[in-house]
Amino acid sequence: MTPEPLTPLDLAFWNIESAGHPLHMGGLAVFDADTPDAARRAAGLLADRAARVPGLNTRIRPVLLPVGAAARHVAPGYDPSDHVHLTAPVRDFFAAAGALMQQPLDRERPPWAAHVLPGADGTSFAVLFTFHHAHADGMRAASYVLSLLDPAAHEAPAAAEAPRTERNGSALRLPDPRELPGLVRGAVGDAGRALAIGSAMARAALDVRSSPALVSRATGARRADGATVDLRDVNRVREATGGTVNDVLLAVVAGGLRRWLDKRGDGSDGVRPRALVPVSLRDPDNPGASGNRLSGYLVRLPVDEADPLARLRAVRKVMDRNKQAGPASGPGAAALLAEVIPPFGHLFGGGLIARSGRLFYDLLVSSVPLRGSHGLTLANSRLREACPLAPLAPGQSLAVGITTYEDRICYGLLADAVAVPDLDLLARSITEEAAELVAACGG
């Protein structure tokens, strides 16, 4: 395989990580064990299948030119068993996942891992899949995971090699002089877009109304938890109020935060935190293409609004406005600014970029689809629940991941363990908020 240059956004994710603050995403998959040794068999199958999934064998290494750039190379001596770990039996899958999420991935190897967690009761096991954000975005990571499960249970395509786009290919060669006029026009266009996005970010930073509960000192300690909501209930709310399922899911986050802040005594009056909602620019017909393809919307969550239906209307209004503007503009499109930073800027400014995230958003709320997935199994054990764990940016105490599997929606919560010692309280608050919203709609 020819070395594949990292896209600017991949390079940004690779360089803003530090040893004390890992920047990888996770997915906790919980299975009903069909036999007492199901976890051990699952670990063996994962290692065997990982050897045949394109992309999992690549690591990220710096290149000579341009200065600061990096590329994916096939790792010499790649052994998938180095990435699949069978742990001792655990009693709490989320507690174990939180401890594992604070461990950095080995940057000298392909940056992914699968931790198989046998349940202490012998009737279930879980797998925590972790991928560095420079290696995969949410859809790409989901494609990898589906490729590692029992093949008869789904029809998801195997992760594919990335197409060689002109933008990627140009990172390791000098431009042809005949291309210069086009490159200049592109640079001017990029600069104009960057100025517009930067201006929108500055306006969004005015009148910030967040909460100290959403700020951390970036300790690196992690805590994980989850809350599940019935998809049928969410659809009933959507049908009664209009809008989209995502509008309902975001309103539940806003209401859950309100309940949590009030219960812990912090108060929710005047609190409207800025949630960054990533938007995939990936072709849904090619989920296996490598490289992050992300923009985003910035949403002021109406945590200070007491009425659940009013919260939903407020979320729907701002989301409609974001969609009308499109994902390539507005303050949520900050990820696109990575394209106008030269590689050496990512290399030497990674720490500054990492610390700046807190300035323009307060928490991440990311939705990861498992398209058309149902009846998934591993080692003939049925997948009961899938919970995404979104990466936690420096200075922020909470990240929320959302995914739908069969008739259940799971909110995966990853928090700074020092700043949020009561993450279980937030998980319960999200469940309570969903129930109240259903009741408000006559459900």
Side-chain angles (χ1 to χ4, degrees):
M1 172 184 171
T2 302
E4 178 191 359
L6 264 63
T7 66
L9 186 54
D10 296 337
L11 195 60
F13 285 135
W14 188 244
N15 284 307
I16 65 179
E17 180 182 65
S18 67
H21 194 101
L23 195 71
H24 51 259
M25 71 185 75
L28 186 66
V30 181
F31 298 85
D32 293 321
D34 70 328
T35 62
D37 69 339
R40 180 187 57 78
R41 289 188 292 110
L45 285 171
L46 289 172
D48 180 64
R49 291 168 181 168
R52 299 189 294 271
V53 176
L56 286 183
N57 63 343
T58 59
R59 64 175 180 170
I60 296 172
R61 307 297 295 167
V63 298
L64 185 61
L65 289 174
V67 176
R72 295 181 182 86
H73 302 253
V74 173
Y78 169 66
D79 185 351
S81 63
D82 292 334
H83 301 259
V84 179
H85 312 284
L86 179 64
T87 74
V90 301
R91 296 188 178 278
D92 186 329
F93 293 137
F94 279 107
L100 290 168
M101 285 294 291
Q102 66 192 35
Q103 299 178 8
L105 291 166
D106 187 345
R107 291 168 69 95
E108 296 300 315
R109 292 176 172 171
W112 70 275
H115 297 271
V116 183
L117 314 171
D121 59 5
T123 64
S124 63
F125 69 91
V127 183
L128 174 67
F129 296 97
T130 56
F131 300 93
H132 197 285
H133 214 327
H135 189 62
D137 59 18
M139 286 185 67
R140 169 74 159 164
S143 177
Y144 277 140
V145 171
L146 290 174
S147 299
L148 294 170
L149 300 185
D150 292 344
H154 62 88
E155 297 180 356
E161 292 293 331
R164 296 292 188 265
T165 63
E166 189 64 27
R167 177 180 293 273
N168 282 352
S170 65
L172 291 180
R173 65 175 177 86
L174 295 176
D176 187 306
R178 291 169 295 181
E179 298 174 347
L180 290 178
L183 292 174
V184 170
R185 286 193 299 272
V188 171
D190 286 346
R193 182 176 62 176
L195 183 62
I197 294 173
S199 176
M201 290 171 60
R203 291 193 300 272
L206 299 174
D207 189 28
V208 173
R209 290 181 283 168
S210 185
S211 167
L214 298 176
V215 180
S216 85
R217 296 183 182 274
T219 66
R222 296 288 179 267
R223 189 181 304 275
D225 214 318
T228 57
V229 174
D230 194 310
L231 175 60
R232 293 165 294 189
D233 286 342
V234 171
N235 278 326
R236 279 195 285 270
V237 173
R238 178 187 59 79
E239 291 167 0
T241 61
T244 68
V245 166
N246 280 337
D247 295 340
V248 179
L249 299 181
L250 283 172
V252 169
V253 172
L257 288 172
R258 177 184 175 84
R259 291 171 178 271
W260 175 59
L261 292 174
D262 287 343
K263 288 175 183 176
R264 72 198 320 248
D266 290 347
S268 56
D269 290 346
V271 175
R272 288 196 169 229
R274 299 157 300 170
L276 179 62
V277 181
V279 176
S280 177
L281 303 180
R282 183 179 295 279
D283 181 356
D285 294 328
N286 188 19
S290 64
N292 278 272
R293 290 164 169 79
L294 293 172
S295 183
Y297 295 141
L298 198 67
V299 181
R300 292 280 182 119
L301 293 179
V303 173
D304 58 349
E305 173 58 62
D307 178 45
L309 291 179
R311 283 196 294 270
L312 175 55
R313 287 193 294 270
V315 167
R316 186 169 68 235
K317 181 178 180 180
V318 70
M319 284 299 289
D320 286 345
R321 190 162 58 242
N322 276 323
K323 292 171 189 173
Q324 186 173 17
S329 62
L336 300 180
L337 294 179
E339 298 181 5
V340 299
I341 300 175
F344 69 84
H346 289 291
L347 177 63
F348 297 110
L352 178 62
I353 294 171
R355 291 188 294 273
S356 68
R358 181 69 185 80
L359 299 177
F360 78 94
Y361 73 99
D362 302 295
L363 76 158
L364 182 72
V365 183
S366 178
S367 181
V368 181
L370 288 177
R371 297 182 183 278
S373 299
H374 64 279
L376 299 177
T377 63
L378 175 61
N380 295 320
S381 298
R382 186 183 71 88
L383 177 63
R384 181 203 313 165
E385 185 176 290
C387 231
L389 299 173
L392 188 61
Q396 295 171 341
S397 69
L398 176 68
V400 181
I402 308 172
T403 199
T404 302
Y405 174 64
E406 295 185 339
D407 60 353
R408 305 178 76 187
I409 295 171
C410 182
Y411 287 83
L413 309 175
L414 186 69
D416 184 301
V418 177
V420 186
D422 57 349
L423 191 60
D424 58 328
L425 183 61
L426 176 58
R428 290 197 299 274
S429 298
I430 286 174
T431 303
E432 293 165 1
E433 174 63 19
E436 181 175 353
L437 196 53
V438 172
C441 293

